[in-house]
Every structure is written in C-alpha cells, then in structure tokens.
C-alpha cells in the first residue's frame, strides 16, 4: 500500500462543515464593507519578493524569516504573499487609482502565507478579511475602519474583545525615538533576551512584543513613542479618539503597541480576544502614509485593517449557521427508470428547489434514512408503476404523476412554509 499523504504542516483543509461558517463571515463582511463604499479587490497569491522587502521592511520578522520565496525559473525571486496591504498599494499605484476620486476604498478576502511555528490559531496558510482606504489623511477614515472591524467582530459574536490603540507618529519622530529607545535598551542590555539584544540596531521596537520576563521589566520603564508625538500627529491621534468616542467604541491607549510591520505611521490598533489563548490577536491595522510612495507610486496617505478569519471563528461564541438542508430527495424503488428520476431531479432544481437524488444504490429503506440525514422535507419515490410523494415529518405518502412531481413538491413546500 502507498503511504497516505498529508497536507503540509501548519495548513488545514476547509471541510464542508466548516465552509458554511466561513461563508457566513465572508457574506457579513461583504455586506458591511460594501455598504460603507469599499469595493472588492483580489491581487495575485504571489508577488515579486522586493514588494515585501520594500513594503513590509527587511528587518521585520515576516520578511527576515517567515516568507515562502522561490525562484520563478528565470532568476527572479517571487514570494507567496504574507500580508495584503503592500500588494493593494502596489495595485493602486500600478493601475493609476490615484487619478480616481479619493479616497479609493478596497476590501479583500484572501489566503496568506507565513512560515510560522504552527500552533492553535497560528497557521502557515490562513485567511484574512481586510480593508484599505487610500488617499485620505482624514482621521475619520482611521475611525471608520476601526468601527467597521469592531462591527464585524460584534456581528459574528466574537467574545471578550479588547481594542488597543496607539500612534507611531511620523517617520522623523519615530527615527528620533528609535535612538532614545536604543539607548535605553543598551543601558539594560544584560537583562534582555538574546534575540532582543541582537535586534537593538535593526528593530528595537520589537522589544515591546517580547514575552521574556527580563525584557518585559526593562520595557515597562522604556520611553513610549506615543508620548513623543509632534503637534500635528498628536492632534490627529486626538481626533481619531474623539471619533471613536462618538461611535461608542471603547479602547485602551497602549504605548507598547508597535505591530510587526515597518510601514505604519500615526494610528495603529489591534483587537484581541481574551477568549483565545496565546494567539489572541484577532485583527488589527493602522495608517501607512509613506507606503505607496515607497513602492514607486505618488505620495498617498492610507489606512487599513486585516483580521484573521480562523481567529475570528475561534473567538466567536457560536459558529454561524450551517448550510440549509435539502428540500426534495428523489428515491428509486424497484423497477424505477433512472432517466425518469434524473428528469424529476432536474425539474425540481429548475423550479428552484434544493434537490438531490439517490446515487449509492441503497435499498428504499436506506434511501429514506439518507433523505432524513440530509434533512429533506419531501421524498419523491419512483417505482415501476408510478410515483409517490412522501412527507418526511408525517410519513404520509400520496400518489403523484411523475410528470408533475416537481410542481407537486413545490406546492407542498409552499403550503408547509
Ligand atoms: P498581522 O498582519 O500580523 O497584523 O495579522 C493580522 C491578523 O491576521 C491577526 O490579528 C490574526 O488574526 C491573523 N493572522 C496573522 N498571522 C496568522 C497566522 N499565522 N495564522 C492565523 N492567523 C494569522
């Protein structure tokens, strides 16, 4: 016997039972975001590696160790997308969307790939629903996106949500702050985790994300970027907070929130669920005013969010509704003509019924059991001399002419409804 093959480590199959819940979330996201003027975009699953190196940042965990990169056979490096914002900004610049009325509001529902240590809630292929508003500096676009993500999470019943909010200011403030933070880290280098110490020069802000006890102590006294904002950035942040107050969305200002991507400026935010274990991040995002320009496009402000679909479902108290049961099962008794049964099936579907026919050669008793498992309300039983329509709830059966079976079934279902 051949060895039974398995899906790669850290990936999962979306089985039919789970697909219904995921579809329900996708449907809610689409309704919510499109009603707010966001239009769907889908970019390729792989991009030039340089897009992420430039867009997300060479020193980030994602780019330095989590990307699936490969040679395209012609000496060019491609990468399975680890995130969605850089590709959307690439598409915005490539298609001249800056010439359209601004802001351009886009949303996506797509798979992403990161070579992470697999565990509950952390996968190597996962899905995100995301939204981006490009071409507006207005704090109302930051607030709108946060409120939309909050609404979506509430709608799906995500439990024990918390919203952390901060501002990373402008690149200049950040560069100055970086020096200040590096000085603090160097002064306490002996208490830091080795990986944090090694990254003092390249990515000092990541020290805030460490769960190493010594590092956490050092970081508790570290200077905070949110306390060093310039006047305009501070005012922008204050306005975002005022708009969230107007919307009635609660948040905690948290100066330790830095997020793992280099492109953020000003607002950053993250929703976590205390109902999840170690991987508590459900979704987050922020403003990235320099990103489109860094990718060769015109200077364009932007803000967006991305939320993990699997994490959203893990955080939800009840899984969204499963698929609707079928309405009519077409059964074949002894002597039934297969072609006739097939015709009844097709007629029923044309009439708009959810219908299935026996395909496994079961006895009539077995077929009725199967119809029951499928939740069928009615069963059309075709025999050698005629047909019957059976009501599964009452077990009543009445003779019906095979030609009119679909119409009779439709009538019955309407009466019963
Ligand atoms: P990030 O772009 O890292 O901020 O991720 C945004 C959201 O995507 C997170 O809050 C998670 O919900 C989800 N996410 C990120 N990485 C993974 C992963 N490896 N597996 C599952 N979900 C993830």
């Amino acid at each position: 016997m051949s060895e039974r093959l398995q899906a790669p480590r850290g990936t999962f199959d979306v089985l039919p039972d789970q697909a219904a819940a995921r579809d329900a979330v996708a449907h809610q996201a689409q309704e919510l975001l499109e009603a707010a003027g966001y239009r769907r975009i889908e970019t390729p699953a792989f991009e030039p590696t340089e897009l992420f190196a430039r867009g997300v940042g060479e020193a980030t965990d994602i780019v330095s160790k989590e990307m699936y990169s490969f040679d395209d056979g012609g000496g060019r490096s491609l990468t399975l997308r680890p995130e969605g914002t850089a590709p959307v900004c690439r598409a915005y610049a490539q298609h001249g969307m800056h010439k359209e009325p601004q802001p351009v509001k886009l949303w996506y529902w797509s798979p992403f790939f990161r070579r992470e240590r697999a565990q509950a809630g952390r996968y190597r292929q996962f899905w995100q629903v995301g939204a981006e508003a490009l071409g507006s500096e207005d704090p109302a676009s930051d607030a709108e996106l946060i409120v939309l993500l909050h609404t979506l999470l509430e709608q799906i019943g995500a439990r024990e949500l918390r919203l952390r909010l901060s501002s990373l200011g402008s690149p200049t403030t950040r560069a100055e702050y970086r020096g200040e933070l590096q000085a603090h880290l160097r002064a306490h280098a002996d208490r830091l985790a080795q990986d944090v110490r090694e990254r003092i020069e390249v990515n000092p802000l990541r020290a805030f994300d460490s769960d190493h006890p010594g590092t956490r102590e050092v970081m508790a006294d570290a200077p905070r970027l949110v306390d060093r904002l310039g006047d305009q950035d501070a005012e922008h942040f204050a306005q975002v907070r005022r708009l969230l107050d107007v919307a009635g969305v609660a948040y905690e200002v948290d100066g330790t929130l830095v997020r793992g991507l280099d492109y953020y400026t000003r607002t950053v935010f993250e929703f976590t669920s205390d109902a999840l274990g170690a991987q508590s991040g459900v979704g987050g995002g922020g403003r990235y005013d320099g990103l489109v320009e860094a990718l060769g496009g015109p200077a364009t402000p932007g803000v967006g969010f991305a939320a993990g679909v699997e994490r959203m479902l893990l955080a939800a108290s009840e899984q969204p509704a499963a698929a609707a049961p079928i309405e009519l099962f077409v059964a074949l008794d002894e002597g039934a003509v297969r072609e006739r049964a097939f015709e009844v099936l097709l007629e029923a579907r044309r009439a708009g019924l959810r219908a299935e026919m026996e395909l496994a050669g079961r006895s009539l008793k077995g077929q009725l059991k199967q119809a029951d498992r499928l939740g069928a309300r009615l069963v059309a039983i075709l025999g050698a001399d005629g047909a019957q329509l059976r009501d599964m709830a009452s077990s009543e059966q009445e003779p019906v002419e095979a030609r009119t079976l679909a119409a009779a079934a439709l009538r019955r279902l309407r009466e019963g409804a």
Side-chain angles (χ1 to χ4, degrees), residues 55-328:
V56 179
E58 296 273 12
T60 61
D61 283 355
I62 294 181
V63 173
S64 63
K65 52 186 194 207
E66 295 173 359
M67 296 206 300
Y68 287 103
S69 300
F70 55 97
D71 188 293
D72 72 348
R76 207 176 143 83
S77 177
L78 299 178
T79 291
L80 292 180
R81 58 180 168 198
E83 63 93 54
T85 302
V88 167
C89 290
R90 194 260 313 131
Y92 175 89
Q94 181 176 337
H95 302 287
M97 290 189 224
H98 57 281
K99 295 184 205 120
E100 295 175 15
Q102 305 293 299
V104 171
K105 305 206 282 188
L106 303 165
W107 78 280
Y108 57 81
W109 172 281
S110 321
F112 295 91
F113 309 85
R114 293 183 194 172
R115 185 182 287 124
E116 297 212 68
R117 206 157 40 79
Q119 52 179 273
R122 191 155 80 182
Y123 312 100
R124 292 180 165 181
Q125 176 177 358
F126 56 96
W127 269 254
Q128 284 182 341
V129 54
E132 318 281 353
L134 287 138
S136 169
E137 260 189 330
D138 195 315
S141 54
D142 309 49
E144 166 176 284
L145 281 154
I146 296 172
V147 172
L148 285 168
L149 180 53
H150 180 254
T151 308
L152 180 61
L153 294 173
E154 296 255 286
Q155 276 180 4
I156 66 161
R159 293 162 297 162
E160 299 174 53
L161 283 180
R162 283 196 296 142
L163 168 59
R164 296 192 298 146
L165 184 70
S166 193
S167 174
L168 301 182
S170 64
T172 335
T173 328
R174 197 157 147 181
E176 283 166 17
Y177 167 77
R178 207 180 131 98
E180 194 186 343
L181 180 62
Q182 281 169 330
H184 177 80
L185 291 170
R186 281 192 212 103
H188 301 95
D190 52 328
R191 290 158 66 199
L192 299 175
Q194 192 186 340
D195 64 319
V196 174
R197 208 162 41 229
E198 282 167 0
R199 285 190 299 180
I200 294 180
E201 301 310 319
V202 284
N203 198 352
L205 267 75
R206 286 300 272 171
F208 282 110
D209 290 342
S210 173
D211 41 26
H212 172 261
T215 307
R216 291 186 75 92
E217 280 170 30
V218 174
M219 297 321 284
D221 303 327
R224 301 282 153 88
L225 181 45
V226 72
D227 302 325
R228 301 282 185 276
L229 301 180
D231 290 348
Q232 285 183 353
D233 294 334
E235 178 51 26
H236 191 275
F237 188 42
Q239 289 188 32
V240 172
R241 296 195 316 263
R242 278 200 292 277
L243 293 166
L244 291 177
D245 293 339
V246 167
V249 173
Y251 54 82
E252 302 152 34
V253 173
D254 181 350
T256 69
L257 177 65
V258 291
R259 298 191 46 77
L261 301 87
D262 271 0
Y263 51 59
Y264 288 115
T265 53
R266 295 188 160 176
T267 316
V268 285
F269 59 93
E270 191 157 86
F271 284 93
T272 53
S273 165
D274 292 338
L276 300 182
Q279 303 303 312
S280 63
V282 180
R287 183 163 274 287
Y288 44 82
D289 291 343
L291 181 55
V292 176
E293 199 175 8
L295 300 177
T300 310
V303 54
F305 73 68
V309 172
E310 295 75 31
R311 298 262 180 98
M312 289 200 291
L313 287 166
L314 285 172
S317 41
E318 275 173 46
Q319 298 304 298
I326 70 154
E327 293 164 308
L328 179 71

